Amino acid sequence: MVFTYKELKEYVRGDFERFYEMGFQEEQIFLAVLDEYKYGKDFCPIENLCIHIFLALNYLRKGLNTDVVAEHLRRLLTEVSEYLIKSDLGNEYPNYITDLKEILRV
């Protein structure tokens, strides 16, 4: 990943807020935020997974329907090995686990 976990979380939050304030619908926000990142030359499965987690957190905090994000997130969680996630995130892995637990509580 080009950004740290914390940096990427802030960037995704900013992008989410921008599209939310522009009046985008839930699915439009999801697609628009993903488009901001998925064409980057260093876009990787871990970054994609983190973006989905951050989107789910933002949807929850705004009281939006998380179905569109949750469906993709579930698929990604089965496709990316925990070892790779832990390896890529390094000392930020506990933050990932905390965020994932917040999503799974709902």
Side-chain angles (χ1 to χ4, degrees):
M1 287 186 359
V2 173
F3 306 111
T4 66
Y5 187 84
K6 185 178 178 181
E7 289 172 334
L8 184 58
K9 187 175 187 175
E10 281 304 306
Y11 292 138
V12 170
R13 186 195 58 73
D15 291 331
F16 173 88
E17 288 294 332
R18 179 168 40 102
F19 294 120
Y20 180 80
E21 289 172 8
M22 291 172 65
F24 282 40
Q25 300 299 313
E26 282 123 339
E27 189 162 337
Q28 292 173 315
I29 294 170
F30 173 71
L31 296 173
V33 172
L34 279 180
D35 277 351
E36 293 289 307
Y37 298 93
K38 73 179 179 182
Y39 297 109
K41 70 175 188 165
D42 294 319
F43 187 70
C44 67
I46 303 303
E47 185 173 350
N48 191 28
L49 176 62
C50 291
I51 290 167
H52 280 74
I53 288 171
F54 303 149
L55 281 169
L57 289 171
N58 283 296
Y59 275 57
L60 286 172
R61 290 178 183 142
K62 290 286 187 186
L64 301 177
N65 184 341
T66 60
D67 290 349
V68 67
V69 180
E71 178 184 326
H72 291 270
L73 182 56
R74 277 189 217 99
R75 181 180 49 78
L76 290 172
L77 286 168
T78 63
E79 292 175 358
V80 181
S81 83
E82 196 66 21
Y83 174 80
L84 183 60
I85 296 167
K86 202 174 216 178
S87 174
D88 277 13
L89 294 179
N91 63 357
E92 293 184 298
Y93 182 76
N95 298 329
Y96 160 83
I97 293 297
T98 300
D99 288 342
L100 191 57
K101 283 180 180 177
E102 184 175 340
I103 295 165
L104 296 175
R105 274 189 288 153
V106 176

